[in-house]
Amino acid sequence: MRVAVLCGGNSAEREVSLRSGEAVYRALQERGWEAVKIDVGPDIALRLSEVKPDVVFLALHGKGGEDGSIQGLLEVMGLPYTGPGILASALAMNKIATKRYLRSASLPTPDFITLDKEETHDEWLQRVKEFRPFPVVVKAPTQGSSLGMNIVRREEELLPALAEAFRYDPVVLVEEFIEGVEVTAAVLGNRKPVVLPLIEIVADKGVYDYEAKYTPGKSQHIIPPRLPEPWQEKVKELALATYRWLDCRGFSRIDFMVDHKGNPYILEVNTIPGLTEVSLFPDAARAAGISFGELVERLIYLALGREE
């Protein structure tokens, strides 16, 4: 069986995607699969027609990879692929759409407002002040890897944070800041999804940003989280509910903040989580006794409709 590993692309997460793709490609080779690694460009349909894969492994982070675009192409070409489908991918890629969809199911997510690039500085400041006191979290809604994300603790930090977020998107998300413990839930499966061991994330400088995510030693992944068992069970239940509500399949990673009273809040859903040497999903799999190679194989079988 021939597997095409798609990675790279032209999103802001290109370098991370290349690392994920290389890790998947090596794992497949080591386990005896016929694998072809493709750096995705405008000729991707032609490349896939030439390679003629039996299944496509998506290690393509960011726009063009996680937003339903490549999934749509693969559907048209009749090629099975790893991870969620078009709708789940498109919804989860946009944090604003995700939060609105979660609210429609009464699933807890931090309160938020949106700001438009066409508004004035004074209008931005006024709307944020009316929203809630600082700190708040500013996010570029269609970026992953914490690109365009900043915690704004003082008024003078707001405009620089918005300027950075507006580099990526014309509409920006301003979110309620939840004080507590950051936890991530890796979910694996199609019709019978399971939550792998939860991970508590501790960044060395207090913010789990791009540098903390992809630089060895810049963050700690604590398994199990230092939370009471009933609090962890709440997170797992919400992770499964979110996974099913968005109609995810294959795998996804759902990020939470758990406040000091044990209330979990859904931050976002990652439909193609990182698969690098410092990524969270492989760590959760290892804690469940699943090696990286086994994880990659299981994702391929799930793409082909095999639950086991």
Side-chain angles (χ1 to χ4, degrees):
M1 187 173 291
R2 183 176 299 158
V3 184
V5 180
L6 303 194
C7 58
N10 61 0
S11 81
E13 296 180 75
R14 172 177 169 78
E15 292 307 315
V16 178
S17 177
L18 288 170
R19 286 164 61 183
S20 287
E22 178 63 22
V24 169
Y25 175 69
R26 286 201 312 267
L28 288 171
Q29 285 192 315
E30 288 167 4
R31 297 180 78 85
W33 291 75
E34 182 185 356
V36 180
K37 186 173 60 173
I38 302 175
D39 186 346
V40 173
D43 62 344
I44 183 58
L46 177 61
R47 294 289 307 279
L48 287 168
S49 297
E50 293 169 346
V51 170
K52 295 182 173 59
D54 298 291
V55 62
V56 175
F57 196 109
L58 292 177
L60 196 60
H61 307 309
K63 288 185 177 180
E66 259 176 293
D67 59 2
S69 301
I70 195 71
Q71 289 82 359
L73 173 65
L74 296 173
E75 294 277 358
V76 169
M77 296 184 73
L79 294 172
Y81 55 89
T82 57
I86 299 169
L87 180 59
S89 300
L91 272 173
M93 187 66 198
N94 187 303
K95 295 176 179 64
I96 297 169
T98 302
K99 290 171 76 69
R100 288 172 175 159
Y101 200 60
L102 293 174
R103 278 187 168 183
S104 74
S106 300
L107 294 171
T109 186
D111 197 11
F112 69 101
I113 59 171
T114 61
L115 300 180
D116 194 287
K117 195 172 187 177
E118 300 304 314
E119 296 173 310
T120 67
H121 290 189
D122 288 342
E123 287 173 320
W124 295 338
L125 185 56
Q126 183 63 30
R127 292 196 55 214
V128 172
K129 283 182 173 180
E130 291 173 354
F131 171 54
R132 63 180 50 253
F134 294 101
V136 296
V137 185
V138 172
K139 296 180 177 179
T142 67
Q143 298 299 314
S145 297
S146 296
L147 293 166
M149 187 279 287
N150 282 285
I151 297 174
V152 176
R153 300 183 184 278
R154 295 183 297 276
E155 182 178 321
E156 57 268 28
E157 297 173 350
L158 179 62
L159 290 182
L162 290 174
E164 182 180 344
F166 280 129
R167 286 175 49 210
Y168 299 103
D169 291 303
V171 177
V172 161
L173 173 66
V174 179
E175 190 176 66
E176 172 189 7
F177 175 77
I178 305 294
E179 187 77 50
V181 176
E182 187 167 2
V183 174
T184 194
V187 186
L188 182 66
N190 289 345
R191 291 175 293 104
K192 303 173 184 177
V194 296
V195 182
L196 302 180
L198 301 180
I199 301 178
E200 176 185 344
I201 303 163
V202 180
D204 65 345
K205 60 181 184 180
V207 180
Y208 195 51
D209 57 10
Y210 187 94
E211 181 185 11
K213 286 181 177 180
Y214 301 115
T215 306
K218 291 289 186 178
S219 64
Q220 299 176 58
H221 298 172
I222 300 171
I223 309 174
R226 296 167 297 183
L227 294 173
E229 191 62 35
W231 296 13
Q232 294 188 47
E233 287 305 314
K234 275 199 244 179
V235 171
K236 291 177 182 179
E237 289 170 11
L238 276 176
L240 281 176
T242 302
Y243 192 85
R244 291 187 171 114
W245 186 244
L246 266 69
D247 197 25
C248 293
R249 70 180 188 225
F251 72 149
S252 289
R253 202 191 75 236
I254 303 163
D255 298 338
F256 294 84
M257 286 298 297
V258 182
D259 71 14
H260 297 307
K261 295 180 180 179
N263 300 308
Y265 294 85
I266 303 156
L267 299 180
E268 61 182 271
V269 180
N270 303 272
T271 54
I272 304 183
L275 295 168
T276 72
E277 69 279 5
V278 292
S279 293
L280 291 156
F281 206 105
D283 272 3
R286 277 190 289 271
I290 304 168
S291 71
F292 186 76
E294 290 168 335
L295 173 63
V296 168
E297 283 191 333
R298 191 173 296 192
L299 291 171
I300 290 172
Y301 293 137
L302 288 167
L304 295 170
R306 305 177 198 169
E307 193 70 30
E308 299 298 330

